[in-house]
Amino acid sequence: MEIFKVSVIIPVYNAASFVTQAVESALAQPETAEVILIEIFLFNENVNPFCVKFGFLK
């Protein structure tokens, strides 16, 4: 059986309230993602709670 590497790309446009849910959903998939890339476009919302939750900020 061939093993595939999985990458997840999450584009975000002024939707901070959904970023955590999207990342948690990606992490909960049966296939482990090797990379989760979050692309933020024209972001004017506070992302600090998200960054703290996933360890990007302390």
Side-chain angles (χ1 to χ4, degrees):
M1 183 166 129
E2 190 173 343
I3 298 175
F4 295 96
K5 294 182 179 180
V6 176
S7 297
V8 177
I9 300 172
I10 302 171
V12 178
Y13 182 85
N14 290 334
S17 60
F18 298 106
V19 174
T20 299
Q21 181 181 358
V23 171
E24 288 174 343
S25 176
L27 293 172
Q29 297 304 309
E31 296 295 328
T32 304
E34 184 171 307
V35 174
I36 297 177
L37 175 65
I38 303 167
E39 294 190 53
I40 301 173
F41 303 96
L42 300 172
F43 216 85
N44 59 9
E45 300 177 56
N46 183 7
V47 295
N48 285 344
F50 164 79
C51 292
V52 169
K53 180 174 183 166
F54 288 97
F56 300 121
L57 293 175
K58 294 183 180 183

